[in-house]
Amino acid sequence: GVGVSAMGVQHPGLVMKSIIPVVMAGVLGIYGLIVSVIISSNMKDVNEGYSVFNGYAHLSAGLACGLANLAAGFAIGIVGDAGVRAAAQQPRLYVGMVLILIFAEALGLYGLIVAI
């Protein structure tokens, strides 16, 4: 938010390039939604054979995805804010910022893979 605002003040034409961290953070929420739909589709009533093991397995899948996406969100937020501000002053830093954001997004993707 603040980095995008700073970009809008310094270089109004580059505001759309500074939206990438916001979009990447939104994708992390979609990862959590995917895991929650998978977990809820596998849940059954206790009378139909939903065991304690399945309950703990679903809990751990949700925690794995959630905590990995929390860490990825922190990384994307910090790198996105500092990177957008730095790219406003030196445009060549934009590619490096995007690469670091991709690596941070991979943390959330790994959490999704572990949860599945």
Side-chain angles (χ1 to χ4, degrees):
V2 177
V4 175
S5 300
M7 179 68 93
V9 170
Q10 293 176 357
H11 301 286
L14 300 176
V15 171
M16 292 308 291
K17 285 176 76 173
S18 65
I19 301 292
I20 287 180
V22 177
V23 172
M24 293 182 84
V27 171
L28 296 176
I30 294 172
Y31 292 163
L33 181 67
I34 291 169
V35 171
S36 68
V37 168
I38 291 171
I39 289 173
S40 66
S41 67
N42 289 335
M43 290 183 76
K44 300 174 186 170
D45 194 14
V46 176
N47 298 330
E48 296 177 8
Y50 189 71
S51 66
V52 175
F53 175 78
N54 285 338
Y56 281 120
H58 290 155
L59 175 66
S60 62
L63 284 175
C65 182
L67 293 176
N69 285 327
L70 180 67
F74 277 135
I76 288 173
I78 292 169
V79 170
D81 183 44
V84 165
R85 290 176 191 232
Q89 295 176 358
Q90 178 60 261
R92 291 187 294 172
L93 294 174
Y94 182 75
V95 174
M97 177 194 73
V98 171
L99 285 174
I100 295 171
L101 287 173
I102 289 170
F103 290 134
E105 184 79 24
L107 293 174
L109 185 61
Y110 294 151
L112 174 69
I113 292 169
V114 167
I116 291 176

